[in-house]
Amino acid sequence: MNLFQFCNGIIVWLVELVNNLWYWLGDVLPWYFGDFFTGIGDFAGSHGHIVVMTIVLESLMVIIVALINVLNFIWLDRKLSGRIFDFYGPYYVGYRIGGWLQNLADGMKLFVKEIIVPAKADKLGFLLAPVIFVGSSFLILATIPLSPNFGIATNESGEFVTAGVLFAFAAFAIAPFSILLAGWSSNNKFTLIGGMRSAAQMMSYEIPLLLTVASVVLLAGSFSFVGIVDAQHDIWFAIPLFIGLVVFLVCIAAEVEVTPFDLPEAEAELVEGWTTEYSGMRFGLFMMTSYLRGYAGGALATALFLGGWQGPSLIPDEIWFLIKAYTVFVVIEWMRWSLPRVRVDQILELGWKRLLPLAVLNLLIAATFKTMGWFSG
Amino acid sequence: MAEMWINMGPQHPMTHGLWNLRVKVDGETIVDAEPEVGYLHRGIEKICENRTYPQIIPLADRLCYGSSLTWSHLYCMTVEDLMGVEVPERAEYIRVVTLEMQRLASHLMWLAAYAVDLGMMAGFIYSMRDREVLVDLLQSLSGSRLTYNYPRIGGVAHDLPPNWDREALRACNYIETRLKEYEDLYEGSKIFMMRNVDVGLLTKEDALDLGVTGPPLRASGVRYDMRKDRPYSVYSDLDFEVCSRPEGDCFARYRVRIDEMWESCKIIRQAIQRMPKGKWRTVAPRNAPVGTGLGRVEDPRGEGMMYVVGDGSDKPYRLKIRSPIFITVSAAPSMLVGYKMADVVAIMGGLDMCIGECDR
């Protein structure tokens, strides 16, 4: 049973349950009321509306799973940084579960804080930037399946869309626009510089990132996540395309702005970068979304290089996928907490002079393997 | 691209205190810079004129939160020069040990701030953790953790507690193992080297012309250290090197401070071994004679100087404090111009700003 069928079942059951009421009302009431209720029942029970409601339920489930992962990630990040820095990390709030509830407490605190809009800010841009940032980041997850049965970008029989990878990376690339918008509309010099840095950095790292993705797509011969993961049945792409994996991880670290590459929010020189003027839950959303993007990056690396949900069947597929995604995230966080920050000219130099040639080399390797016929598909 | 002025400060993560660095940037490149200090002016020199001589010791502690002991020691030295008080030899050795501990603690705090300026949180936590060892020792000696109020005119407040010297030697060993770790952590990091080498060049001529002292001067290739060139206390009996590097960039400043920490450990060991038994304090007169006293020491941040004028009463007529950072910060524009905005934190962090003594 896949996610669509599962949700469809729930929706059909619910609709039937509620329709009993509408049809009963339609029976007992006079015709001028009764026809109205019967009409509602027919409307809700029609095939198209059931599919729409199913998709909404599916999206909700994927978002809930993503949010739980984000909470886990923030907790893991804090605990891990505590291990690296010689302290405990969150401890008191929910101490029986390792301080896991600290995130909820912090979220609660951010919720009740005042949202301050600077007087000279561009109100519309200032409001729109978090919406675009959060929305586009959730959109990445739309096509990433946790297993062949757990994903929302399917048709009714559970076949996935063929261009899921393209869509995921397109959604990934929307964020610089919102960051630039946030930096510009805040009307503050620090946020402006942060936004500009972010735009420059993301543009220069998008190209090697997509080139490594192209090499994976070339080997797998498919643009869908299921096709790519199935192509890794014999060997993970991390082994033939090791250079690609390294380039991919560095680029993902730059795209989600973790410390060696967190120039847009370099707190030492730019206060808090492009998020300087945001307060309260808007800042909380930015922070949560950066972890969400970390999760998306880990999930993409898992699906493209680490064999996705493949693994011994002792553990369910979805859990395998999450274990790998968490591992990628831990590696990125490890890098984050133990390295200093690079400078803006150095980061562009690294992107154009080092990563781009490596990505092209990686593409060449993939093409060689493909020509020799070692990877079918 | 259009040029614009950016106020980095007075409340900004870069500043480590209350001061303002105005930088004019062209895109990301700095074309002009202008440090503004004075936000923390408390009029300490004027307050001192209304206090008796012993009352000024805790006030001198408040000059710098990073290395308070140096300043109270400097004050006591100056007043001893004015009054002509002989300090017992044991007190001098105790002072040297505590001063070098204070230098270690101050440099470790600098290293912590510098690491976090460069975005390396791990370095911050490690340095602060190891500074704690020294702070605990000084606390067991003097009773407080930040402003020690330990030296007195004519000696020190108390003798060493039992076993303190052994603990100090153990702390030296610990700090030395940690210093090795720091060298691996920082110099083994390619990114740290990228951020430091050839950044913020200060030529020897500029450094001398602008009156820069302390580690920034020594990092520009000038071997000038008050402990060697104008020895005070018992530094002339002790064997240590003046650490100097010819490059004049941020890495040289970092390296000079790390080398100084090694030398400080050496000095503490020697001083504890040579420390004689005996009195640790003599009685100083209440009133100072008419005359002047001068003290010059090597603060962790540069050359600190105090000049006191006595008028025969129990209060100084005038107390002048020469702060190293107040003078060093004026070299900021010549170091900053031409570098990127992200280098501001590396360059200004490399000066080890302490606003308490700068604004007085």
Side-chain angles (χ1 to χ4, degrees):
Chain A
M1 184 158 59
N2 62 29
L3 187 64
F4 185 88
Q5 287 158 353
F6 178 72
C7 293
N8 200 39
I10 294 178
I11 291 292
V12 166
W13 176 72
L14 273 178
V15 165
E16 275 176 6
L17 203 69
V18 180
N19 273 1
N20 284 337
L21 176 71
W22 300 138
Y23 287 132
W24 176 75
L25 281 174
D27 283 345
V28 296
L29 291 174
W31 63 268
Y32 42 88
F33 289 129
D35 276 7
F36 174 67
F37 287 112
T38 319
I40 291 181
D42 289 345
F43 181 80
S46 70
H47 178 71
H49 294 104
I50 287 199
V51 169
V52 167
M53 283 188 277
T54 307
I55 289 173
V56 169
L57 186 65
E58 272 185 304
S59 314
L60 211 62
M61 286 183 69
V62 167
I63 286 175
I64 288 170
V65 168
L67 285 178
I68 291 172
N69 278 327
V70 165
L71 285 178
N72 282 340
F73 271 20
I74 299 175
W75 173 80
L76 194 65
D77 180 26
R78 289 171 152 195
K79 280 302 219 193
L80 189 76
S81 65
R83 286 293 134 200
I84 292 174
F85 294 165
D86 247 10
F87 59 76
Y88 286 117
Y91 185 72
Y92 288 104
V93 186
Y95 67 92
R96 281 177 204 282
I97 44 176
W100 193 85
L101 294 177
Q102 182 69 46
N103 300 324
L104 298 180
D106 288 351
M108 211 80 114
K109 188 200 96 179
L110 285 174
F111 252 118
V112 298
K113 286 187 93 164
E114 184 187 359
I115 291 175
I116 300 164
V117 182
K120 289 189 180 173
D122 185 295
K123 301 281 187 306
L124 183 64
F126 196 76
L127 174 71
L128 213 56
V131 175
I132 298 174
F133 190 61
V134 176
S136 71
S137 300
F138 272 109
L139 211 55
I140 305 169
L141 302 173
T143 55
I144 304 177
L146 295 191
S147 77
N149 298 325
F150 197 96
I152 51 174
T154 61
N155 63 11
E156 286 178 41
S157 58
E159 289 163 2
F160 275 84
V161 287
T162 47
V165 175
L166 277 185
F167 183 83
F169 282 94
F172 214 88
I174 298 175
F177 168 66
S178 67
I179 292 175
L180 190 57
L181 187 65
W184 198 359
S185 64
S186 300
N187 200 3
N188 177 323
K189 287 167 185 169
F190 295 119
T191 60
L192 181 62
I193 292 177
M196 288 295 179
R197 279 184 179 185
S198 175
Q201 173 181 331
M202 290 204 175
M203 262 189 275
S204 59
Y205 277 73
E206 201 72 35
I207 295 164
L209 181 74
L210 291 178
L211 279 176
T212 53
V213 174
S215 68
V216 169
V217 168
L218 187 66
L219 275 195
S222 165
F223 263 118
S224 82
F225 282 106
V226 176
I228 287 174
V229 173
D230 284 345
Q232 301 180 58
H233 187 261
D234 298 327
I235 183 169
W236 292 0
F237 286 158
I239 295 160
L241 300 179
F242 184 72
I243 303 173
L245 176 65
V246 173
V247 172
F248 187 86
L249 284 183
V250 172
C251 291
I252 281 289
E255 292 273 325
V256 303
E257 293 173 6
V258 299
T259 276
F261 309 112
D262 71 339
L263 299 156
E265 46 195 294
E267 75 268 10
E269 65 254 27
L270 294 184
V271 190
E272 202 40 59
W274 52 276
T275 57
T276 303
E277 294 287 357
Y278 284 92
S279 59
M281 202 53 208
R282 285 186 188 174
F283 172 74
L285 278 177
F286 275 136
M287 205 193 109
M288 185 208 77
T289 310
S290 72
Y291 282 95
L292 183 74
R293 291 171 74 78
Y295 165 57
L300 287 171
T302 305
L304 298 183
F305 289 98
L306 299 179
W309 47 81
Q310 286 169 1
S313 57
L314 289 170
I315 308 176
D317 286 353
E318 291 83 359
I319 307 293
W320 266 120
F321 191 91
L322 287 179
I323 287 175
K324 290 174 185 175
Y326 275 50
T327 313
V328 173
F329 176 79
V330 164
V331 170
I332 290 178
E333 290 300 311
W334 184 11
M335 195 162 85
R336 169 187 200 167
W337 294 120
S338 48
L339 288 178
R341 184 180 298 123
V342 295
R343 214 166 53 204
V344 67
D345 53 331
Q346 290 164 347
I347 199 174
L348 298 184
E349 214 174 272
L350 184 72
W352 291 107
K353 291 190 187 162
R354 302 280 191 281
L355 291 181
L356 191 58
L358 278 177
V360 172
L361 177 70
N362 180 56
L363 191 59
L364 197 68
I365 292 171
T368 314
F369 284 148
K370 191 73 180 175
T371 331
M372 292 166 93
W374 289 355
F375 290 89
S376 56
Chain B
M1 202 189 270
E3 295 179 349
M4 62 178 173
W5 282 98
I6 294 181
N7 281 300
M8 293 178 101
Q11 289 182 357
H12 188 279
M14 183 272 292
T15 53
H16 306 311
L18 210 57
W19 65 291
N20 187 2
L21 180 72
R22 300 184 69 222
V23 288
K24 193 181 193 181
V25 291
D26 179 2
E28 286 263 353
T29 313
I30 295 164
V31 291
D32 198 2
E34 185 183 324
E36 282 177 6
V37 294
Y39 290 91
L40 203 63
H41 179 63
R42 292 154 294 171
I44 283 199
E45 290 177 359
K46 193 69 189 166
I47 298 173
C48 288
E49 292 171 15
N50 297 314
R51 298 275 194 279
T52 60
Y53 285 106
Q55 280 177 341
I56 298 175
I57 300 171
L59 210 57
D61 262 338
R62 267 85 182 154
L63 275 171
C64 176
Y65 51 84
S67 72
S68 55
L69 205 71
T70 326
W71 289 95
S72 45
H73 165 248
L74 170 60
Y75 169 72
C76 291
M77 234 176 76
T78 313
V79 176
E80 282 153 12
D81 184 38
L82 169 68
M83 294 177 172
V85 177
E86 272 298 312
V87 182
E89 207 183 352
R90 181 173 176 82
E92 291 283 22
Y93 275 101
I94 293 176
R95 279 183 182 181
V96 166
V97 171
T98 52
L99 281 177
E100 292 304 319
M101 281 195 172
Q102 181 69 81
R103 190 183 312 275
L104 275 171
S106 170
H107 280 348
L108 281 174
M109 198 164 90
W110 163 79
L111 194 61
Y114 195 55
V116 82
D117 274 350
L118 295 179
M120 193 180 195
M121 278 299 286
F124 173 77
I125 308 273
Y126 293 165
S127 299
M128 283 311 228
R129 177 191 65 194
D130 298 337
R131 176 176 172 270
E132 208 63 8
V133 174
L134 301 160
V135 171
D136 283 348
L137 273 174
L138 289 173
Q139 185 189 9
S140 70
L141 184 62
S142 67
S144 52
R145 289 170 54 80
L146 197 64
T147 50
Y148 303 105
N149 191 15
Y150 182 59
R152 291 286 183 275
I153 300 166
V156 291
H158 333 278
D159 197 6
L160 299 181
N163 278 340
W164 194 86
D165 42 358
R166 222 159 47 176
E167 292 292 322
L169 290 177
R170 278 180 60 197
C172 277
N173 294 338
Y174 175 76
I175 293 290
E176 281 187 347
T177 58
R178 286 300 170 191
L179 283 176
K180 279 202 197 80
E181 198 180 301
Y182 294 150
E183 284 172 358
D184 290 348
L185 181 67
Y186 292 112
E187 287 158 44
S189 164
K190 175 93 179 156
I191 299 178
F192 183 82
M193 300 301 272
M194 270 161 55
R195 288 297 301 275
N196 277 282
V197 175
D198 289 337
V199 168
L201 283 177
L202 180 67
T203 58
K204 194 173 172 177
E205 291 72 33
D206 272 357
L208 288 170
D209 288 350
L210 291 162
V212 175
T213 48
L217 177 68
R218 290 196 283 278
S220 296
V222 184
R223 275 184 182 274
Y224 178 73
D225 190 325
M226 295 306 288
R227 291 175 293 174
K228 270 280 191 229
D229 294 326
R230 195 175 176 280
Y232 52 96
S233 206
V234 287
Y235 276 113
S236 50
D237 300 343
L238 300 170
D239 173 36
F240 63 98
E241 297 284 316
V242 177
C243 312
S244 171
R245 301 273 292 192
E247 293 95 343
D249 55 1
C250 280
F251 181 69
R253 273 166 232 144
Y254 152 81
R255 198 55 240 183
V256 161
R257 285 199 172 89
I258 295 276
D259 289 342
E260 277 189 19
M261 286 199 251
W262 285 100
E263 293 300 319
S264 289
C265 289
K266 257 170 71 182
I267 295 175
I268 293 175
R269 283 218 184 81
Q270 291 176 35
I272 285 180
Q273 276 162 9
R274 293 180 179 208
M275 191 180 287
K277 295 229 180 309
K279 281 174 67 180
W280 61 89
R281 189 172 175 187
T282 52
V283 179
R286 181 183 170 83
N287 292 353
V290 179
T292 60
L294 178 72
R296 294 169 80 184
V297 294
E298 185 66 31
D299 188 67
R301 289 165 182 75
E303 180 192 335
M305 188 184 82
M306 274 197 196
Y307 179 72
V308 64
V309 180
D311 59 353
S313 69
D314 59 349
K315 291 171 186 162
Y317 174 73
R318 175 83 171 91
L319 180 72
K320 167 76 183 115
I321 302 164
R322 183 229 193 247
S323 147
I325 281 302
F326 182 66
I327 300 178
T328 306
V329 75
S330 61
S334 65
M335 283 194 265
L336 286 171
V337 171
Y339 294 99
K340 301 282 175 201
M341 184 143 165
D343 289 331
V344 172
V345 287
I347 295 167
M348 299 317 290
L351 292 185
D352 195 7
M353 294 291 289
C354 178
I355 294 307
E357 52 158 294
C358 176
D359 291 349
R360 300 192 283 279

